[in-house]
Amino acid sequence: MLKNKSKILLNNLRTYSNNASTTKKIYPQRIFSGIQPTGSVHIGNYLGAITNWLKYQNQGDDIMLSVVDLHSITLPQNPKDLSKNILTMTATLLACGIDPEKSILFQQSHVPQHTELCWQLGCICTMARLAHLPQYKEKSENLKDIPLGLFVYPVLQAADILLYKSTHVPVGEDQIQQIQLAQELARMFNNHFGETFPIPHSIVSSSLNSRLKSLRNPDKKMSKSEPDAKSRITLLDTDDEIRNKFKKAVTDFTSTISYDPEKRPGVSNLVAIHSELTGKSIEEIVADAKHLDTLGYKLLVGEEVAARIRPIREKIIDYSSDPLYIMDVLKTGAEKASEIAERTAKEVRRKMGFNIDVKKKKSKKVAAQ
Ligand code: TYM
Protein backbone atom coordinates (compact mmCIF):
# COMPACT_ATOMS: atom_id res chain seq x y z
CA MET A 1 0.00 0.00 0.00
CA LEU A 2 2.69 2.47 1.09
CA LYS A 3 4.76 1.42 -1.88
CA ASN A 4 1.95 2.33 -4.24
CA LYS A 5 1.45 5.67 -2.57
CA SER A 6 5.08 6.62 -2.93
CA LYS A 7 4.98 5.60 -6.54
CA ILE A 8 2.11 7.99 -7.17
CA LEU A 9 4.06 10.76 -5.49
CA LEU A 10 7.08 10.04 -7.62
CA ASN A 11 4.96 10.03 -10.73
CA ASN A 12 3.57 13.40 -9.74
CA LEU A 13 7.04 14.75 -9.30
CA ARG A 14 8.00 13.57 -12.75
CA THR A 15 5.34 15.83 -14.19
CA TYR A 16 7.64 18.84 -13.53
CA SER A 17 8.94 18.35 -17.02
CA ASN A 18 10.89 20.78 -19.12
CA ASN A 19 10.11 19.43 -22.55
CA ALA A 20 7.40 21.84 -23.65
CA SER A 21 8.13 24.41 -26.32
CA THR A 22 8.94 27.97 -25.33
CA THR A 23 6.23 30.29 -24.14
CA LYS A 24 3.73 31.69 -26.65
CA LYS A 25 2.93 34.78 -24.65
CA ILE A 26 4.83 37.94 -25.49
CA TYR A 27 6.27 39.64 -22.44
CA PRO A 28 7.47 43.25 -22.28
CA GLN A 29 11.25 43.42 -22.42
CA ARG A 30 12.90 43.68 -19.03
CA ILE A 31 16.62 43.39 -18.36
CA PHE A 32 17.90 42.03 -15.06
CA SER A 33 21.37 41.43 -13.73
CA GLY A 34 23.21 41.14 -10.44
CA ILE A 35 26.62 41.38 -8.86
CA GLN A 36 27.89 40.00 -5.57
CA PRO A 37 29.16 42.47 -2.97
CA THR A 38 32.38 40.57 -2.37
CA GLY A 39 35.59 42.55 -2.71
CA SER A 40 36.21 45.35 -5.19
CA VAL A 41 34.87 45.21 -8.70
CA HIS A 42 37.57 44.11 -11.14
CA ILE A 43 37.89 45.00 -14.79
CA GLY A 44 36.42 41.59 -15.71
CA ASN A 45 33.16 42.56 -13.97
CA TYR A 46 33.40 46.06 -15.40
CA LEU A 47 33.98 45.11 -19.03
CA GLY A 48 32.09 41.79 -18.98
CA ALA A 49 28.95 43.10 -17.30
CA ILE A 50 28.73 46.70 -16.06
CA THR A 51 29.56 48.43 -19.38
CA ASN A 52 26.73 46.47 -20.97
CA TRP A 53 24.33 47.48 -18.21
CA LEU A 54 25.25 51.11 -18.89
CA LYS A 55 24.53 50.64 -22.57
CA TYR A 56 21.02 49.32 -21.90
CA GLN A 57 20.31 51.93 -19.24
CA ASN A 58 21.42 54.76 -21.50
CA GLN A 59 19.36 53.59 -24.44
CA GLY A 60 16.29 53.75 -22.22
CA ASP A 61 15.65 50.03 -21.59
CA ASP A 62 13.76 48.80 -18.55
CA ILE A 63 16.65 47.55 -16.43
CA MET A 64 16.95 46.23 -12.87
CA LEU A 65 20.29 45.73 -11.14
CA SER A 66 20.72 43.98 -7.85
CA VAL A 67 23.54 43.92 -5.33
CA VAL A 68 23.05 40.24 -4.54
CA ASP A 69 24.05 40.08 -0.89
CA LEU A 70 22.19 36.79 -0.28
CA HIS A 71 24.37 35.13 -2.89
CA SER A 72 27.51 36.39 -1.23
CA ILE A 73 26.76 34.60 2.07
CA THR A 74 26.93 31.20 0.36
CA LEU A 75 30.57 31.40 1.43
CA PRO A 76 31.42 32.70 4.93
CA GLN A 77 31.40 36.51 5.27
CA ASN A 78 32.44 38.68 8.14
CA PRO A 79 29.28 40.78 8.87
CA LYS A 80 31.23 44.06 9.10
CA ASP A 81 32.97 43.36 5.78
CA LEU A 82 29.69 42.39 4.11
CA SER A 83 28.03 45.59 5.22
CA LYS A 84 30.98 47.66 3.96
CA ASN A 85 31.08 45.72 0.70
CA ILE A 86 27.39 46.43 0.04
CA LEU A 87 28.10 50.13 0.44
CA THR A 88 31.22 50.00 -1.75
CA MET A 89 29.52 47.93 -4.46
CA THR A 90 26.61 50.37 -4.65
CA ALA A 91 29.04 53.32 -4.71
CA THR A 92 30.98 51.56 -7.48
CA LEU A 93 27.91 51.02 -9.64
CA LEU A 94 26.97 54.69 -9.23
CA ALA A 95 30.56 55.76 -10.00
CA CYS A 96 30.51 53.66 -13.17
CA GLY A 97 27.43 55.57 -14.32
CA ILE A 98 24.45 53.54 -13.10
CA ASP A 99 21.76 56.16 -12.60
CA PRO A 100 19.05 55.29 -10.02
CA GLU A 101 16.61 57.50 -11.90
CA LYS A 102 16.97 55.32 -15.00
CA SER A 103 17.76 51.86 -13.56
CA ILE A 104 16.17 50.16 -10.57
CA LEU A 105 19.20 49.59 -8.34
CA PHE A 106 18.52 47.61 -5.18
CA GLN A 107 19.87 45.25 -2.54
CA GLN A 108 18.58 41.70 -2.96
CA SER A 109 17.88 41.01 0.74
CA HIS A 110 15.60 44.08 0.90
CA VAL A 111 13.08 42.19 -1.25
CA PRO A 112 12.18 38.98 0.63
CA GLN A 113 10.18 37.63 -2.31
CA HIS A 114 13.53 36.46 -3.80
CA THR A 115 13.94 33.85 -1.07
CA GLU A 116 10.28 32.85 -1.24
CA LEU A 117 10.49 32.17 -4.97
CA CYS A 118 13.84 30.42 -4.47
CA TRP A 119 12.12 27.95 -2.15
CA GLN A 120 9.18 27.47 -4.54
CA LEU A 121 11.51 26.85 -7.50
CA GLY A 122 13.78 24.71 -5.31
CA CYS A 123 10.86 22.35 -4.86
CA ILE A 124 10.64 21.73 -8.62
CA CYS A 125 14.39 21.55 -9.25
CA THR A 126 16.33 18.32 -8.80
CA MET A 127 19.58 17.87 -6.89
CA ALA A 128 21.06 16.00 -9.83
CA ARG A 129 20.54 19.06 -12.05
CA LEU A 130 22.29 21.37 -9.59
CA ALA A 131 25.21 19.03 -8.99
CA HIS A 132 26.21 19.43 -12.66
CA LEU A 133 26.72 23.16 -12.52
CA PRO A 134 30.38 24.18 -12.84
CA GLN A 135 30.40 27.05 -10.35
CA TYR A 136 29.28 24.79 -7.54
CA LYS A 137 31.99 22.30 -8.37
CA GLU A 138 34.62 25.04 -8.56
CA LYS A 139 33.62 26.80 -5.36
CA SER A 140 33.20 23.63 -3.30
CA GLU A 141 36.48 22.08 -4.49
CA ASN A 142 38.49 23.09 -1.44
CA LEU A 143 35.68 22.87 1.13
CA LYS A 144 35.37 20.02 3.59
CA ASP A 145 31.77 20.83 4.47
CA ILE A 146 29.69 22.31 1.68
CA PRO A 147 26.99 24.80 2.73
CA LEU A 148 23.54 23.96 1.41
CA GLY A 149 23.24 27.56 0.19
CA LEU A 150 26.19 27.10 -2.15
CA PHE A 151 24.43 24.15 -3.73
CA VAL A 152 21.09 25.98 -4.03
CA TYR A 153 22.73 29.21 -5.26
CA PRO A 154 21.64 28.82 -8.93
CA VAL A 155 18.01 28.42 -7.86
CA LEU A 156 18.21 31.76 -6.03
CA GLN A 157 19.71 33.24 -9.20
CA ALA A 158 16.79 31.84 -11.23
CA ALA A 159 14.40 33.34 -8.67
CA ASP A 160 16.11 36.75 -9.03
CA ILE A 161 15.54 36.69 -12.76
CA LEU A 162 12.04 35.21 -12.86
CA LEU A 163 10.64 37.30 -10.00
CA TYR A 164 10.68 40.33 -12.30
CA LYS A 165 9.59 38.35 -15.38
CA SER A 166 12.90 39.37 -16.91
CA THR A 167 13.40 38.65 -20.58
CA HIS A 168 17.14 39.41 -20.92
CA VAL A 169 20.10 38.88 -18.60
CA PRO A 170 23.41 40.56 -19.54
CA VAL A 171 26.28 38.60 -17.95
CA GLY A 172 29.83 37.36 -18.49
CA GLU A 173 30.42 33.95 -20.03
CA ASP A 174 30.75 32.20 -16.65
CA GLN A 175 27.03 32.72 -15.93
CA ILE A 176 25.57 31.10 -19.04
CA GLN A 177 24.81 27.74 -17.46
CA GLN A 178 23.06 29.41 -14.55
CA ILE A 179 20.81 31.29 -16.96
CA GLN A 180 20.06 28.00 -18.72
CA LEU A 181 18.82 26.65 -15.40
CA ALA A 182 16.57 29.70 -15.02
CA GLN A 183 15.17 28.97 -18.50
CA GLU A 184 14.48 25.35 -17.56
CA LEU A 185 12.81 26.28 -14.29
CA ALA A 186 10.63 28.85 -16.08
CA ARG A 187 9.51 26.19 -18.56
CA MET A 188 8.88 23.63 -15.82
CA PHE A 189 6.87 26.09 -13.77
CA ASN A 190 4.84 27.19 -16.80
CA ASN A 191 4.13 23.59 -17.80
CA HIS A 192 2.97 22.61 -14.40
CA PHE A 193 1.19 25.67 -13.05
CA GLY A 194 0.25 27.58 -16.18
CA GLU A 195 1.90 30.33 -18.19
CA THR A 196 3.67 32.67 -15.74
CA PHE A 197 7.27 33.40 -16.71
CA PRO A 198 9.00 34.47 -19.91
CA ILE A 199 11.99 32.34 -20.88
CA PRO A 200 14.94 34.64 -20.09
CA HIS A 201 17.81 35.00 -22.59
CA SER A 202 21.38 35.60 -21.58
CA ILE A 203 23.24 38.40 -23.35
CA VAL A 204 26.97 37.88 -23.38
CA SER A 205 29.15 40.68 -24.70
CA SER A 206 31.86 40.29 -27.34
CA SER A 207 34.35 37.46 -26.98
CA LEU A 208 37.04 39.97 -26.03
CA ASN A 209 35.56 40.92 -22.69
CA SER A 210 33.06 38.20 -21.81
CA ARG A 211 35.82 36.25 -20.07
CA LEU A 212 38.82 38.38 -19.18
CA LYS A 213 41.69 36.28 -17.92
CA SER A 214 43.73 36.40 -14.74
CA LEU A 215 46.94 38.45 -15.09
CA ARG A 216 48.84 35.74 -13.23
CA ASN A 217 47.37 32.71 -14.95
CA PRO A 218 45.89 33.51 -18.38
CA ASP A 219 44.28 30.05 -18.57
CA LYS A 220 41.89 31.07 -15.80
CA LYS A 221 39.28 33.84 -15.72
CA MET A 222 39.95 37.01 -13.75
CA SER A 223 38.14 36.48 -10.48
CA LYS A 224 37.46 38.20 -7.16
CA SER A 225 38.12 34.96 -5.34
CA GLU A 226 41.63 34.24 -6.64
CA PRO A 227 43.92 34.62 -3.60
CA ASP A 228 46.66 36.48 -5.55
CA ALA A 229 45.51 40.13 -5.76
CA LYS A 230 47.99 40.70 -8.62
CA SER A 231 45.76 38.51 -10.78
CA ARG A 232 43.18 41.29 -11.18
CA ILE A 233 42.94 45.04 -11.67
CA THR A 234 40.20 46.48 -9.51
CA LEU A 235 38.45 49.80 -9.93
CA LEU A 236 39.84 50.83 -6.54
CA ASP A 237 43.49 50.14 -7.38
CA THR A 238 45.82 53.13 -7.25
CA ASP A 239 47.78 54.17 -10.35
CA ASP A 240 50.92 52.57 -8.91
CA GLU A 241 49.14 49.31 -8.13
CA ILE A 242 47.79 49.18 -11.68
CA ARG A 243 51.21 49.85 -13.25
CA ASN A 244 52.79 47.26 -10.99
CA LYS A 245 50.20 44.57 -11.69
CA PHE A 246 50.62 45.00 -15.46
CA LYS A 247 54.41 44.93 -15.07
CA LYS A 248 54.12 41.58 -13.26
CA ALA A 249 51.50 40.11 -15.65
CA VAL A 250 52.43 36.66 -16.93
CA THR A 251 53.06 36.59 -20.69
CA ASP A 252 55.40 34.25 -22.64
CA PHE A 253 58.91 34.05 -24.06
CA THR A 254 58.18 35.87 -27.32
CA SER A 255 59.12 39.53 -26.96
CA THR A 256 56.97 41.06 -29.74
CA ILE A 257 53.31 42.04 -29.36
CA SER A 258 50.65 40.13 -31.27
CA TYR A 259 47.02 39.10 -30.69
CA ASP A 260 46.48 35.34 -30.71
CA PRO A 261 44.35 34.20 -27.72
CA GLU A 262 44.96 30.49 -28.46
CA LYS A 263 48.73 30.54 -28.79
CA ARG A 264 49.55 33.64 -26.74
CA PRO A 265 46.80 33.92 -24.06
CA GLY A 266 48.79 36.17 -21.71
CA VAL A 267 49.77 38.96 -24.08
CA SER A 268 46.43 38.72 -25.93
CA ASN A 269 44.59 39.26 -22.65
CA LEU A 270 46.56 42.48 -22.12
CA VAL A 271 45.76 43.61 -25.66
CA ALA A 272 42.05 42.81 -25.11
CA ILE A 273 41.94 44.80 -21.85
CA HIS A 274 43.82 47.66 -23.51
CA SER A 275 41.45 47.68 -26.46
CA GLU A 276 38.27 47.51 -24.39
CA LEU A 277 39.31 50.21 -21.95
CA THR A 278 40.69 52.69 -24.46
CA GLY A 279 38.37 52.06 -27.41
CA LYS A 280 41.38 51.43 -29.71
CA SER A 281 41.08 48.49 -32.09
CA ILE A 282 43.24 45.38 -31.67
CA GLU A 283 44.99 46.13 -35.01
CA GLU A 284 45.76 49.68 -33.95
CA ILE A 285 47.21 48.53 -30.63
CA VAL A 286 49.38 45.85 -32.23
CA ALA A 287 50.61 48.31 -34.88
CA ASP A 288 51.41 50.99 -32.27
CA ALA A 289 53.35 48.43 -30.21
CA LYS A 290 55.49 47.12 -33.03
CA HIS A 291 58.65 48.78 -31.68
CA LEU A 292 58.05 47.63 -28.11
CA ASP A 293 59.07 44.45 -26.31
CA THR A 294 56.65 42.87 -23.79
CA LEU A 295 58.04 44.86 -20.85
CA GLY A 296 57.73 48.13 -22.77
CA TYR A 297 54.19 47.19 -23.76
CA LYS A 298 53.22 46.26 -20.19
CA LEU A 299 54.39 49.70 -19.01
CA LEU A 300 52.33 51.36 -21.74
CA VAL A 301 49.13 49.38 -20.96
CA GLY A 302 49.62 50.04 -17.25
CA GLU A 303 49.81 53.78 -17.89
CA GLU A 304 46.78 53.93 -20.19
CA VAL A 305 44.59 51.69 -18.02
CA ALA A 306 45.53 53.68 -14.89
CA ALA A 307 44.42 56.89 -16.63
CA ARG A 308 41.09 55.30 -17.59
CA ILE A 309 40.37 53.92 -14.11
CA ARG A 310 41.50 56.99 -12.11
CA PRO A 311 38.28 59.07 -12.51
CA ILE A 312 36.10 56.05 -11.68
CA ARG A 313 38.15 55.35 -8.52
CA GLU A 314 37.82 58.97 -7.45
CA LYS A 315 34.05 58.83 -7.88
CA ILE A 316 33.81 55.54 -5.90
CA ILE A 317 35.68 57.18 -3.01
CA ASP A 318 33.40 60.20 -3.21
CA TYR A 319 30.14 58.18 -3.22
CA SER A 320 31.45 55.89 -0.44
CA SER A 321 31.99 58.90 1.78
CA ASP A 322 28.22 59.49 1.82
CA PRO A 323 26.63 56.29 3.17
CA LEU A 324 23.33 58.05 3.87
CA TYR A 325 22.96 58.82 0.18
CA ILE A 326 23.78 55.19 -0.71
CA MET A 327 21.18 53.95 1.82
CA ASP A 328 18.62 56.28 0.31
CA VAL A 329 19.35 55.02 -3.22
CA LEU A 330 18.96 51.42 -2.05
CA LYS A 331 15.77 52.16 -0.13
CA THR A 332 14.12 53.79 -3.15
CA GLY A 333 15.35 50.95 -5.38
CA ALA A 334 13.91 48.33 -3.03
CA GLU A 335 10.54 50.09 -2.98
CA LYS A 336 10.34 50.02 -6.77
CA ALA A 337 11.57 46.40 -6.98
CA SER A 338 9.19 45.22 -4.23
CA GLU A 339 6.17 46.50 -6.10
CA ILE A 340 6.98 44.33 -9.12
CA ALA A 341 8.14 41.41 -6.97
CA GLU A 342 4.94 41.28 -4.94
CA ARG A 343 2.80 41.15 -8.10
CA THR A 344 4.68 38.04 -9.27
CA ALA A 345 4.74 36.55 -5.77
CA LYS A 346 0.94 36.86 -5.51
CA GLU A 347 0.50 35.20 -8.90
CA VAL A 348 2.87 32.35 -7.98
CA ARG A 349 1.19 31.77 -4.59
CA ARG A 350 -2.22 31.63 -6.27
CA LYS A 351 -1.08 29.31 -9.05
CA MET A 352 0.70 26.95 -6.66
CA GLY A 353 -2.41 26.69 -4.49
CA PHE A 354 -1.44 28.68 -1.43
CA ASN A 355 -4.65 30.68 -1.46
CA ILE A 356 -7.87 29.13 -0.19
CA ASP A 357 -10.37 29.13 -2.99
CA VAL A 358 -13.28 31.19 -1.63
CA LYS A 359 -16.66 30.54 -3.25
CA LYS A 360 -19.08 31.94 -0.62
CA LYS A 361 -19.45 35.69 -0.29
CA LYS A 362 -19.67 35.76 3.55
CA SER A 363 -18.48 33.49 6.33
CA LYS A 364 -21.25 32.48 8.77
CA LYS A 365 -18.71 32.27 11.60
CA VAL A 366 -17.21 35.67 10.91
CA ALA A 367 -20.72 37.18 10.65
CA ALA A 368 -21.69 35.61 14.01
CA GLN A 369 -18.69 37.09 15.85
P1 TYM B 1 29.62 38.00 -10.05
O1 TYM B 1 29.38 38.91 -8.89
O2 TYM B 1 30.64 36.93 -9.87
O3 TYM B 1 30.03 38.83 -11.33
C1 TYM B 1 29.27 39.92 -11.81
C2 TYM B 1 29.30 39.93 -13.35
O4 TYM B 1 30.66 40.01 -13.81
C3 TYM B 1 30.89 39.01 -14.80
N1 TYM B 1 32.31 38.56 -14.72
C4 TYM B 1 33.16 38.58 -15.76
N2 TYM B 1 33.01 38.95 -17.05
C5 TYM B 1 34.10 38.86 -17.87
N3 TYM B 1 35.32 38.39 -17.46
C6 TYM B 1 35.50 38.00 -16.18
N4 TYM B 1 36.70 37.56 -15.80
C7 TYM B 1 34.40 38.07 -15.26
N5 TYM B 1 34.24 37.77 -13.95
C8 TYM B 1 32.96 38.08 -13.64
C9 TYM B 1 29.97 37.86 -14.39
O5 TYM B 1 29.72 37.00 -15.48
C10 TYM B 1 28.74 38.63 -13.95
O6 TYM B 1 27.93 38.95 -15.06
N6 TYM B 1 25.87 34.74 -9.93
C11 TYM B 1 26.22 36.09 -10.31
C12 TYM B 1 25.37 37.18 -9.68
C13 TYM B 1 23.89 37.02 -9.86
C14 TYM B 1 23.17 37.24 -11.06
C15 TYM B 1 21.79 37.01 -10.74
C16 TYM B 1 23.55 37.61 -12.35
C17 TYM B 1 22.99 36.68 -8.90
N7 TYM B 1 21.73 36.66 -9.41
C18 TYM B 1 20.79 37.13 -11.69
C19 TYM B 1 22.54 37.72 -13.32
C20 TYM B 1 21.18 37.48 -12.98
C21 TYM B 1 27.67 36.33 -9.90
O7 TYM B 1 28.19 35.69 -9.02
O8 TYM B 1 28.23 37.37 -10.53
Side-chain angles (χ1 to χ4, degrees), residues 93-263:
L93 294 176
L94 297 172
C96 289
I98 297 302
D99 176 350
E101 297 289 322
K102 296 181 182 161
S103 300
I104 299 183
L105 174 60
F106 71 103
Q107 188 179 333
Q108 182 188 32
S109 64
H110 286 178
V111 185
Q113 289 85 347
H114 286 250
T115 40
E116 181 183 354
L117 185 58
C118 172
W119 179 259
Q120 289 153 337
L121 295 175
C123 294
I124 65 172
C125 184
T126 66
M127 297 197 18
R129 179 64 182 83
L130 295 182
H132 276 113
L133 289 166
Q135 271 214 339
Y136 157 72
K137 284 193 200 152
E138 250 168 55
K139 290 195 173 173
S140 59
E141 223 167 43
N142 301 320
L143 295 178
K144 197 163 130 259
D145 291 315
I146 302 167
L148 180 61
L150 189 60
F151 190 68
V152 178
Y153 178 114
V155 182
L156 181 58
Q157 183 159 349
D160 298 340
I161 297 166
L162 300 182
L163 188 58
Y164 302 100
K165 304 201 177 205
S166 317
T167 53
H168 294 86
V169 189
V171 281
E173 209 179 87
D174 60 331
Q175 301 294 312
I176 292 179
Q177 274 151 310
Q178 259 112 282
I179 315 299
Q180 281 167 350
L181 178 76
Q183 296 175 337
E184 283 169 35
L185 291 177
R187 284 194 194 100
M188 283 158 93
F189 190 97
N190 290 351
N191 288 348
H192 197 74
F193 299 106
E195 181 65 41
T196 309
F197 298 117
I199 310 301
H201 300 283
S202 49
I203 316 176
V204 177
S205 53
S206 83
S207 57
L208 277 193
N209 55 16
S210 63
R211 196 182 169 84
L212 284 193
K213 307 290 191 311
S214 153
L215 296 185
R216 303 298 295 164
N217 180 357
D219 293 330
K220 282 171 55 182
K221 71 162 188 171
M222 188 178 286
S223 152
K224 285 184 215 153
S225 54
E226 194 177 325
D228 186 353
K230 287 199 206 71
S231 65
R232 56 187 171 268
I233 305 287
T234 81
L235 299 185
L236 274 171
D237 284 342
T238 62
D239 289 4
D240 274 348
E241 281 167 333
I242 295 173
R243 289 186 196 110
N244 213 15
K245 286 180 182 180
F246 275 109
K247 206 166 145 191
K248 301 250 163 70
V250 169
T251 46
D252 52 32
F253 296 111
T254 309
S255 67
T256 53
I257 306 306
S258 60
Y259 183 74
D260 184 346
E262 289 295 314
K263 293 199 185 112

Side-chain angles (χ1 to χ4, degrees), residues 5 21 25 30 43 58 65 67 117 119 124 150 160 187-188 204 234 237 250 276 278 294 317 320 332 347 353 365:
K5 258 195 176 164
S21 58
K25 190 171 159 185
R30 171 165 293 137
I43 52 174
N58 295 337
L65 299 169
V67 176
L117 185 58
W119 179 259
I124 65 172
L150 189 60
D160 298 340
R187 284 194 194 100
M188 283 158 93
V204 177
T234 81
D237 284 342
V250 169
E276 287 297 319
T278 58
T294 25
I317 295 170
S320 301
T332 311
E347 184 182 349
K365 286 207 177 72

